[in-house]
Amino acid sequence: IAMAFWLASCDNLADINIDPNNSSSARPQEVLTSAQAYIAFIMDSQYNDNATLWAQYLAWGTGVALSDGSRYVQTANHGNQAWARSYSDALADLRFLQKAGHRGYQGISKVLEAFVFQYLIDHFGDVPYTDALQGSIEDGSVLAPHYDDDAAIYPKLVTTLDDAITDLNIALGDATISVGTKDLLYQGNLDNWIRFANSLKLRILMRMSDVADVSAQVNALIGSGVFIETSDQTAQLPFSGDSGSENPMYAWNEYGITYFYK
């Protein structure tokens, strides 16, 4: 009797430990929105914000450069937010999408993953790539990923983009596959995602051209690819300016202080 009671108690305990108000898994639609919002934050409030200070488009104070960034002083913590948000938020969301079993989301996530890693490499040099995002038990519990040589990562990003274009073309050819308006950049327009992928691939090949002969790849891409050609094909996330939807650079600089940039 005691054993039967114990088993029944275990079953009941398992039942009550499931929160009915919170989903145990996320849908790819919302995860894509999350990833894109994090990437917008990283790009504008971190990379672009620091670049405008270094270029003196903005300075800290009325006519006076008082902050480290606007005095061309790079401190150890300047890249912390861009680094952490790239790995723990944006790239983690994108890897989730690659496991979603949906060609459209898989293709989009690979394009964005190449985009995020390209900026990480350009700004930090060697970064975790091969072992990155492998911290979960099912992925091997890699908690101290090694740093890959930046020059070795670029060709892998080209391969990732080739895979992405394959996924996107398959999704385009299947009327049952749809991404929809949860895609904040292109509202599910996969043709524009292919344009973005080819344009990004060309940029990466141009980076590689400083250390390797990629002329054949560049010529083949230009001859056969379609690229971003008009403003409405640009990958950009619009912000309304309303509370909660401010431009990330503005929101970052306004957070907790009176606006002090000039």
Side-chain angles (χ1 to χ4, degrees):
I1 295 174
M3 180 62 74
F5 175 77
W6 180 79
L7 290 173
S9 298
C10 287
D11 288 341
N12 292 335
L13 185 61
D15 290 339
I16 65 174
N17 277 341
I18 298 174
D19 186 348
N21 297 318
N22 288 290
S23 174
S24 58
S25 62
R27 299 192 311 165
Q29 295 96 313
E30 285 75 33
V31 176
L32 175 61
T33 299
S34 171
Q36 292 176 340
Y38 277 124
I39 292 170
F41 168 82
I42 295 162
M43 290 300 302
D44 214 36
S45 73
Q46 302 304 302
Y47 293 137
N48 291 347
D49 183 67
N50 285 329
T52 55
L53 289 174
W54 278 62
Q56 292 293 291
Y57 295 141
L58 291 175
W60 192 283
T62 306
V64 180
L66 298 177
S67 69
D68 286 328
S70 55
R71 290 186 294 116
Y72 311 113
V73 177
Q74 186 79 11
T75 62
N77 66 351
H78 262 154
N80 285 2
Q81 282 285 339
W83 179 279
R85 295 296 187 183
S86 291
Y87 280 103
S88 64
D89 297 315
L91 288 171
D93 282 346
L94 296 174
R95 284 296 172 89
F96 173 91
L97 291 172
Q98 290 173 25
K99 299 176 182 179
H102 185 294
R103 287 283 192 170
Y105 288 109
Q106 287 173 356
I108 290 172
S109 66
K110 290 173 184 176
V111 175
L112 291 175
E113 180 175 291
F115 180 78
V116 173
F117 269 116
Q118 182 248 307
Y119 269 87
L120 282 168
I121 297 166
D122 281 0
H123 285 81
F124 296 103
D126 296 352
V127 299
Y129 180 78
T130 305
D131 289 344
L133 309 167
Q134 304 294 318
S136 63
I137 294 174
E138 59 269 24
D139 288 331
S141 299
V142 180
L143 302 181
H146 82 276
Y147 282 61
D148 294 73
D149 178 60
D150 53 356
I153 300 175
Y154 276 114
K156 297 177 181 178
L157 299 184
V158 172
T159 300
T160 296
L161 289 169
D162 288 337
D163 292 341
I165 293 169
T166 298
D167 288 333
L168 292 167
N169 277 316
I170 290 174
L172 274 170
D174 188 341
T176 66
I177 297 177
S178 174
V179 172
T181 57
K182 295 295 184 181
D183 168 17
L184 301 179
L185 269 64
Y186 288 126
Q187 293 73 52
N189 186 324
L190 299 186
D191 286 306
N192 280 343
W193 276 106
I194 293 175
R195 291 181 181 276
F196 182 18
N198 280 324
S199 301
L200 179 58
K201 182 178 175 181
L202 182 60
R203 176 199 282 178
I204 292 172
L205 287 171
M206 295 306 295
R207 297 281 200 277
M208 293 169 59
S209 68
D210 289 336
V211 295
D213 182 8
V214 293
S215 56
Q217 289 174 274
V218 170
N219 290 332
L221 179 61
I222 292 174
S224 62
V226 292
F227 303 94
I228 294 173
E229 298 176 348
T230 62
S231 60
D232 62 313
Q233 296 166 353
T234 302
Q236 59 183 352
L237 200 160
F239 293 91
S240 68
D242 297 333
S243 178
S245 185
E246 301 95 341
N247 177 279
M249 188 189 294
Y250 174 83
W252 179 258
N253 290 330
E254 278 283 282
Y255 179 72
I257 61 172
T258 301
Y259 192 75
F260 197 45
Y261 284 105
K262 298 295 182 183

